[in-house]
Amino acid sequence: DREDANDLLKACVADAKIDTKATRFPKADVLGNIFSLAVNTQKSIPEILAEQYDYFSQLAPQVEKLAQSYAQRKRSTNVMDFDDLLVLWLKLIREQADVREQFQRKFQFVLVDEYQDTNKIQGDLVDLLAERHQNLMVVGDDSQSIYSWRGANFQNIIDFPKRYPRATVYKIETNYRSTPEILTVANEAIKANLKQFPKTLAPQRRGDSKPAMVACHDARLQAAF
């Protein structure tokens, strides 16, 4: 789990004899996030630091060495973190034809929910599993991708019809939850997206008061409102 991963990372930092007090150095949980982003976005650690942790950019060589040390320590203790479960599974079914065929035969139909929040590794895994039968259904909303900070890539859903030219796209535009006034705001916000499946949300509920923007400074105030 995350706590065990942090303990391993702290041990790696200690082994490297890095004085974290003398140098503004990322803590174990931050290192874990950096390593995870590099894996899930398939980018280098210097790229991740430059894009999201620029205040640690000058430490890129040390952070890269720690990533190698962390990987070696996981192997020596025979453990995997969540990212390994994805990366090594993908490596296994890519490189071992018999294992790949076993999984492809077992899963004749594949359904993926919240597909807009899958990352590149997960998208590749799904494509490999569905490769034999081509019976793949994905459900998602390209306008609701919220996990890019964790490596999700909404291009997976945008490019789906390109990767599967015989696919049929079903748009669910009827909305049963929100009022017409809220959906008017939503439609206006969505139409500005440069890459999207164009759609117009239509309400089933009757009109109500206009939506308001309310600034809540913390979860307690939000709950009270």
Side-chain angles (χ1 to χ4, degrees), residues 116-118 142 145 152-159 195-196:
Q116 78 279 356
D117 285 323
T118 56
D142 54 291
S145 182
N153 187 352
F154 84 109
Q155 285 292 147
N156 282 354
I157 194 168
I158 291 293
D159 293 340
K195 296 180 180 180
Q196 62 168 300

Side-chain angles (χ1 to χ4, degrees), residues 136-162:
L136 174 60
M137 178 178 181
V138 301
V139 182
D141 185 350
D142 54 291
S143 299
Q144 292 192 51
S145 182
I146 60 173
Y147 288 108
S148 60
W149 58 276
R150 248 174 28 191
N153 187 352
F154 84 109
Q155 285 292 147
N156 282 354
I157 194 168
I158 291 293
D159 293 340
F160 189 85
K162 297 177 185 177

Side-chain angles (χ1 to χ4, degrees), residues 108-128:
Q108 183 179 351
F109 300 93
V110 179
L111 166 63
V112 183
D113 196 12
E114 301 294 356
Y115 189 70
Q116 78 279 356
D117 285 323
T118 56
N119 60 36
K120 181 66 167 58
I121 297 172
Q122 292 166 326
D124 289 347
L125 278 168
V126 169
D127 287 345
L128 272 174

Side-chain angles (χ1 to χ4, degrees), residues 160-178:
F160 189 85
K162 297 177 185 177
R163 298 201 314 281
Y164 296 91
R166 292 186 298 153
T168 302
V169 177
Y170 297 94
K171 296 182 182 180
I172 303 175
E173 297 176 290
T174 303
N175 185 290
Y176 297 92
R177 177 184 295 174
S178 301

Side-chain angles (χ1 to χ4, degrees), residues 56-169:
F56 292 134
S57 289
Q58 76 280 7
L59 300 171
Q62 289 174 285
V63 175
E64 282 188 299
K65 286 183 179 178
L66 278 175
Q68 296 169 4
S69 175
Y70 177 55
Q72 291 169 359
R73 188 173 285 267
K74 284 187 293 182
R75 283 195 294 270
S76 66
T77 54
N78 200 31
V79 298
M80 291 191 290
D81 59 23
F82 182 74
D83 296 323
D84 294 326
L85 295 177
L86 293 176
V87 173
L88 297 180
W89 183 22
L90 180 59
K91 178 181 172 65
L92 177 68
I93 61 177
R94 271 180 173 167
E95 297 179 358
Q96 303 296 325
D98 56 333
V99 176
R100 181 171 64 250
E101 184 173 343
Q102 178 184 346
F103 277 111
Q104 289 176 345
R105 289 185 181 278
K106 182 175 183 179
F107 298 106
Q108 183 179 351
F109 300 93
V110 179
L111 166 63
V112 183
D113 196 12
E114 301 294 356
Y115 189 70
Q116 78 279 356
D117 285 323
T118 56
N119 60 36
K120 181 66 167 58
I121 297 172
Q122 292 166 326
D124 289 347
L125 278 168
V126 169
D127 287 345
L128 272 174
L129 287 175
E131 189 176 57
R132 173 179 290 272
H133 299 290
Q134 294 286 297
N135 292 325
L136 174 60
M137 178 178 181
V138 301
V139 182
D141 185 350
D142 54 291
S143 299
Q144 292 192 51
S145 182
I146 60 173
Y147 288 108
S148 60
W149 58 276
R150 248 174 28 191
N153 187 352
F154 84 109
Q155 285 292 147
N156 282 354
I157 194 168
I158 291 293
D159 293 340
F160 189 85
K162 297 177 185 177
R163 298 201 314 281
Y164 296 91
R166 292 186 298 153
T168 302
V169 177

